[in-house]
Every structure is written in structure tokens, then in C-alpha cells.
Amino acid sequence: MAADTIKMLGNYWNPSEYGTRVHKELEHLIERLNDDRLVPEYSLLKSGSEAVYGTLDRFRLDVLERAPVFTACIHEVKTGNSPLTAARSSELAFAVYKTFPGTKCIVVIEMRPYEQP
């Protein structure tokens, strides 16, 4: 949905800007849902605590979903050709585990628009 909006507007110069705009549009869509379980653009320190946006040595999760029963889902939006690697997935999952120690299940999901520009 966010990708469709950005493609329809066509206001991006290159694939990198397209990705940035899709992420920003997704953030706005999630904020409008007003669902406490969904947190867009969530920043974590690699050491395992919340971070302020722009802090060095941090991870930025595109969307963190705090599901019931000790479960967290990390939704990573990929708009380019690079895949979400197993190593990156593990880093993100471990940072979430350290930040929320009671978490028993962490799911990392790569999300892609149906068509890329």
C-alpha cells in the first residue's frame, strides 16, 4: 500500500529515494492506525536497549510488532535488489531479544512491494 502510493505520486528520483519514501509512507500509515502493538522506525542499540533516532551503533527496525504471548515480529521493508540476509535477521532478532528479555519467539519478515520501480 505504501509502495503503491509512492509509485502513483512518482515523486522520487532514483531507487534509493523510492525506498526512503516508501519507508516514510509506511511509517505514516502505521501511525494513523493508532495500534500500540505496531511501532514504525523503532531504534535499538546493538547492546540491547532503546535508542534515540540517529544514535551511533544502533539498529533501526522498519516495523516492530509486539504480538501477544511473548512474541515480537520484525517487519523489514526491502525495495531494492538486496535481500534480507540471515546474518542481518539474526542481528535484529538478537537486539530485540536483549531489549525485551521475556520474548520467547521472534519472527523476522522481509516485506517487498509486488513490483519494483
Side-chain angles (χ1 to χ4, degrees):
M1 185 146 86
D4 292 338
T5 299
I6 299 306
K7 282 200 309 192
M8 183 181 69
L9 293 173
N11 59 349
Y12 55 89
W13 294 97
N14 56 49
S16 178
E17 186 177 359
Y18 168 75
T20 299
R21 290 180 185 267
V22 167
H23 279 82
K24 200 61 166 167
E25 180 65 20
L26 180 62
E27 178 181 8
H28 294 312
L29 288 170
I30 290 170
E31 287 172 347
R32 286 191 289 259
L33 290 174
N34 199 28
D35 184 339
D36 292 340
R37 294 172 302 158
L38 296 173
V39 184
E41 303 295 322
Y42 189 77
S43 292
L44 297 171
L45 292 174
K46 291 180 180 181
S47 61
S49 59
E50 290 185 56
V52 177
Y53 183 82
T55 304
L56 293 176
D57 292 327
R58 68 169 177 84
F59 290 111
R60 184 194 42 77
L61 308 178
D62 295 336
V63 181
L64 174 63
E65 179 181 358
R66 296 300 311 272
V69 194
F70 310 107
T71 301
C73 298
I74 302 166
H75 302 269
E76 283 297 300
V77 177
K78 303 298 282 179
T79 59
N81 294 324
S82 298
L84 178 62
T85 65
R88 177 70 174 163
S89 295
S90 294
E91 286 178 326
L92 296 174
F94 190 63
V96 167
Y97 177 76
K98 287 193 295 186
T99 305
F100 304 104
T103 303
K104 302 291 184 207
C105 178
I106 300 170
V107 179
V108 182
I109 302 167
E110 178 180 304
M111 300 184 336
R112 288 189 174 271
Y114 289 110
E115 295 178 24
Q116 313 253 344

